[in-house]
Amino acid sequence: MPELAYVNGRIMPIEEAKVPINDRGYHFADAVYEFISGYHGRLFAFEAHLDRLERSLRALSFPPISRDSIREAIEKIFQAAALDNGGVYLQISRGVAPRNHPFPINVQPQIIITVRSLPETPRAYLENGIHVITVTDIRWGRCDIKTVQLLPNVLARQQALDAGAQDAIFISPEGVVREATSSNLFIVKDNTLQTHPLTPNILPGVTRGCLLEICREEGIPVQEIFFNHHTLLSADEVFITSTVAEVLPVTRIDGRSIGAGCPGPLTQRLRTLLETQAGKTDSINKK
Ligand code: PMP
């Protein structure tokens, strides 16, 4: 099955999909996006992703777009791709208009969707954990809106790779640990989870939300609080969460070993619980 694209209502092989050069997503990053994973033919946390998409669209004063039509378009292309485990990328730009800063009048938002196989997390990352560096957060003040304006994230991720690590963690100029370049961040201290509260400085991750729900059900204490670099390095366990990474252990930060230097027990337990909730392991076990 070729990689598929949906462009404003039409599904086609991705090589045939084109966007006009006057798309405002291209000129101004005036566009929002979502990435949704599907396991064994079922999209995970679909409504939570649609909730966040609507929130992003509202925050940028896009005209209302029917939630049902977006849901149907995503379902259509996901089913057409017929992937067991697939990732759906959706991007909506404000529209196409000659380059000029103010919102253009009478333009239609451009909706593109692509779908492809989900990348497999390397086994070594799950078994040994990933290594990360910390970088100063130079992003704008509305990181809670999921826009395609991701250059600081791209630069930080590349800086991590160049340093021989796998990811970077943003720390505010005042010293507050925020999140990773495409994931939220959790630490474990004395069997309690800590994560950054929802503020305009981090993305409200859907996986973060699922994990908090799991913790409530399992009676695992969570504190949504600010913490600094020192607290991060002295944590018992550290992990990141995202639709792609799910729950991924972090075992080395800025060259220093975290906890016992290997993925911690709570991290591993939460990864298993999330996989079960996502319908990933259930079906594997049934096979
Ligand atoms: N933070 C940032 C900066 C991200 O880009 C992402 C993934 N898009 C996340 C957190 C995690 O969000 P989610 O769990 O919804 O994938």
Side-chain angles (χ1 to χ4, degrees):
M1 177 62 73
E3 211 171 299
L4 293 178
Y6 166 107
V7 184
N8 296 321
R10 282 188 48 230
I11 295 181
M12 60 197 83
I14 199 156
E15 301 76 34
E16 288 171 25
K18 303 270 186 293
V19 288
I21 61 164
N22 274 341
D23 189 291
R24 286 179 65 92
Y26 181 60
H27 280 145
F28 299 114
D30 192 358
V32 299
Y33 77 103
E34 281 295 325
F35 183 80
I36 310 168
S37 56
Y39 303 107
H40 309 292
R42 269 196 43 237
L43 291 164
F44 174 51
F46 195 10
E47 295 305 316
H49 282 282
L50 292 175
D51 286 346
R52 185 173 60 190
L53 176 70
E54 283 186 335
R55 189 179 168 277
S56 299
L57 291 168
R58 262 198 314 274
L60 297 185
S61 307
F62 274 45
I65 303 173
S66 147
R67 180 179 174 118
D68 287 345
S69 67
I70 295 172
R71 186 192 293 108
E72 276 162 31
I74 292 174
E75 274 168 353
K76 196 167 148 194
I77 187 168
F78 184 61
Q79 276 158 20
L83 292 168
D84 197 27
N85 293 341
V88 178
Y89 177 83
L90 163 87
Q91 179 171 321
I92 305 182
S93 82
R94 192 181 304 277
V96 178
R99 187 180 182 284
N100 195 13
H101 288 62
F103 295 173
I105 299 160
N106 289 332
V107 295
Q108 284 297 315
Q110 301 291 296
I111 305 180
I112 63 125
I113 310 171
T114 54
V115 60
R116 61 176 170 174
S117 291
L118 275 178
E120 275 282 320
T121 303
R123 188 130 291 278
Y125 293 176
L126 297 177
E127 283 169 5
N128 309 324
I130 60 164
H131 298 175
V132 305
I133 59 168
T134 57
V135 297
T136 303
D137 193 352
I138 58 163
R139 298 174 302 165
W140 73 325
R142 290 305 306 272
C143 295
D144 57 322
I145 309 172
K146 201 164 167 60
T147 75
V148 300
Q149 180 207 314
L150 293 170
L151 195 51
N153 309 53
V154 168
L155 296 177
R157 178 75 68 86
Q158 189 58 45
Q159 194 181 329
L161 295 184
D162 292 345
Q166 283 79 49
D167 205 350
I169 293 172
F170 289 116
I171 304 203
S172 78
E174 307 77 37
V176 177
V177 175
R178 302 286 195 207
E179 60 182 338
T181 60
S182 61
S183 315
N184 293 113
L185 179 80
F186 286 77
I187 64 172
V188 180
K189 193 72 192 163
D190 301 327
N191 293 314
T192 297
L193 292 186
Q194 294 183 17
T195 195
H196 193 288
L198 292 185
T199 70
N201 302 109
I202 65 161
L203 188 82
V206 168
T207 319
R208 176 190 183 280
C210 293
L211 212 70
L212 294 186
E213 187 63 43
I214 287 172
C215 288
R216 263 192 295 277
E217 284 163 13
E218 296 289 318
I220 299 167
V222 184
Q223 295 176 323
E224 294 179 71
I225 52 167
F226 299 113
F227 54 85
N228 63 20
H229 189 250
H230 173 75
T231 307
L232 174 67
L233 288 183
S234 52
D236 301 328
E237 302 177 31
V238 175
F239 61 87
I240 56 173
T241 64
S242 76
T243 300
V244 175
E246 301 168 342
V247 171
L248 194 58
V250 175
T251 49
R252 193 168 267 274
I253 302 178
D254 293 334
R256 305 250 293 271
S257 196
I258 300 302
C262 57
L266 195 50
T267 305
Q268 286 174 319
R269 182 173 160 215
L270 289 168
R271 180 169 176 95
T272 306
L273 286 167
L274 183 77
E275 283 185 340
T276 306
Q277 198 193 72
K280 194 177 173 190
T281 43
D282 252 346
S283 313
I284 291 169
N285 293 340
K286 275 185 221 142
K287 274 186 188 165

